[in-house]
Amino acid sequence: MAVAGKSAKPRYVYGVVRGGGAPPAVAGIAGADLELVAADDVAALTSVAPDAYLEAGREEIFAHSRVLEAALEGGTVLPMRFGVVLPDADTLRERLLDEHHEELAAQLAAMDGKVEFAVKGLYDEAAVLREIVAEDREVAQLREAIAGKPEAATYYERIGLGELIASAFAARAERDAAAIVEELRPRAVAVSVGEPLHERMAVNASFLVERKALDRFDAAVEAVGKREASRMRVRLTGPLPPHSFVELEVSA
Amino acid sequence: MATAMQQQPYRGGSGYVARSSSSGLYDVLELILDKGLVIDVFVRVSLIGIEILTIDARIVIASVDTYLRFAEAVNRLDLMATETQGLPELMEGITEGGASSKTKGVLQGAKEALFGDEDEGDEDEDQGTEDEGGEERGGGSTRRRTASATTTKRRRRSEASGSGSSRKRKS
């Protein structure tokens, strides 16, 4: 993209906040100072990006997360995905803040007083395997048929058995995730359900929660964790900026 | 800075839930890389390698390795045993895709890309052209999965397989 201009320094964008404030007092990517680029009542939380290209490493991702977290403490923030860079401040103003002004202002208002929490449930493999053997005759039979035989002689049977188990895990995950999400949904403003990230993951969902209702949400998650304790470990991460609950209309 | 970040720890309850703020980056990696506002025309520089890697990791999940591992685990399972897993044991497994799993989850794949091998950097350099990045994100930014009521569970999977740009990277 050809860019000419006086201050044609590329801008990394962390998120969008309300204008008028000061950027949080943490360092940005590559140690750069944070700056607000404002247009009207909305502002982009930015820093000058390294010239050539942005490294997508551990430090950079940490910095992105750190900046957003600090911003969240100061108020409402609409997080950008990691890695958004615009050629310069003017283009940023034009293409993000001006072009999407109404959406951004509306979403800032909508996200006031709300934070995201990520809930993940990880199966205890042995416990769930026992459930599966107990409930699935085919698995139990195949398991017995294989037992004691040399590995080389049962290669395909073992693959077959493993496949059955994998799909039993997946079926359970679907069921358990649906139940857990339904259980927590009344305590949240919105829910975003993701695909399990690996075969032992039962549930992977994000909830938008009112700050003032955090205790109730937490208690509900705790209840899930307690009930499932023998077979699943529940993790709760947050408060986070509302990554899963913001969006921009895609313009061509 | 670190203390400021942890102003609001949610560590209530009686310990059935493992709580963390986002300083445990591992759990928010997916959100940071995959969710949030994006302007599709513009570039997510150097991220191309990582995204492909995470997509691949999703596809690799249902592999023969996984099946064999499950078969082995179920064969070793002592059905009579009534052992209950204690908390220390549970906490031990807190790293996703832990010792027992050879299969990669998305986060694990991404984590390797980001926190693992040095050579990943070279990969990124090769691909760090802005135009490619823009195209890559063009598709990405249309995939919205925010929903206040119903987000289908299968969406991410189909998005992942829908991307034509996958490259096998299994290490």
Side-chain angles (χ1 to χ4, degrees), chain A residues 1 16 25-27 52-58 61-62 64-66 69-70 73 78-87 91-92 95-96 100 104 107 116-118 120 122 124-126 129-130 133 139 143-144 146-147 151 155 158-159 161-163 165-166 169-170 173-174 177 185 189-202 204 206 211 214-215 218 221-222 225-226 229 233-240 243-248 250-252, chain B residues 1 4-8 10-47 50 58 61 64 66-81 83 85 90-91 93-98 100-101 103-107 113-115 121 124-125 128 130-131 137-138 140-157:
Chain A
M1 174 151 293
V16 174
V26 297
Y53 61 87
L54 178 68
E55 193 92 34
R58 176 194 172 88
I61 291 180
F62 261 121
H64 184 93
S65 166
R66 185 175 62 219
E69 244 185 289
E73 276 172 32
L78 309 177
M80 302 293 290
R81 245 178 254 184
F82 179 81
V84 175
V85 179
L86 285 96
T91 313
L92 164 58
R95 297 304 307 271
L96 177 63
H100 297 282
L104 293 172
Q107 286 184 57
E116 175 167 344
F117 275 86
K120 290 196 169 79
L122 298 176
D124 176 90
E125 188 172 286
L129 280 175
R130 282 196 190 90
V133 174
V139 168
R143 176 178 177 272
E144 280 184 28
I146 292 169
E151 283 205 353
Y155 182 75
R158 284 185 292 119
I159 289 177
L161 173 59
E163 201 170 350
I165 294 169
F169 262 93
E174 201 156 329
R185 190 191 297 277
V189 180
V191 186
S192 168
V193 182
E195 188 78 3
L197 303 179
H198 54 73
E199 75 274 8
R200 288 187 306 123
M201 188 171 281
N204 176 23
S206 270
R211 278 185 187 276
L214 287 189
D215 288 346
D218 189 273
V221 176
E222 181 71 21
K226 186 172 183 179
R233 190 176 64 246
V234 176
R235 289 214 307 260
L236 177 63
T237 309
L240 303 166
H243 290 274
S244 306
F245 303 96
V246 293
E247 60 185 309
L248 285 183
V250 175
S251 55
Chain B
M1 174 163 76
M5 250 186 265
Q6 284 152 16
Q7 239 173 21
Q8 298 180 302
Y10 280 87
R11 300 192 185 285
S14 51
Y16 287 103
V17 171
R19 292 167 175 81
S20 67
S21 73
S22 60
S23 46
L25 187 60
Y26 200 66
D27 265 337
V28 296
L29 203 47
E30 183 200 14
L31 297 177
I32 291 172
L33 294 180
D34 224 25
K35 302 280 189 81
L37 301 178
V38 66
I39 328 173
D40 59 330
V41 184
F42 292 98
V43 191
R44 298 177 69 206
V45 192
S46 301
L47 256 184
I50 289 167
R58 276 169 207 167
I61 282 174
V64 168
T66 311
Y67 298 156
L68 289 173
R69 194 180 64 71
F70 271 140
E72 192 192 342
V74 79
N75 280 327
R76 275 195 320 224
L77 199 64
D78 181 357
L79 293 179
M80 295 299 114
E83 45 170 313
Q85 271 210 318
L90 286 175
M91 299 312 284
I94 205 145
T95 315
E96 249 153 62
S100 65
S101 174
T103 332
K104 292 183 205 332
V106 175
L107 290 188
L114 298 169
F115 303 92
D124 292 344
E125 279 171 46
E130 305 203 339
D131 290 338
R137 296 318 312 154
S141 54
T142 55
R143 44 177 183 175
R144 303 310 326 171
R145 52 180 95 87
T146 303
S148 48
T150 51
T151 304
T152 53
K153 261 197 91 192
R154 290 293 151 203
R155 241 152 112 192
R156 271 191 221 180
R157 168 86 16 108

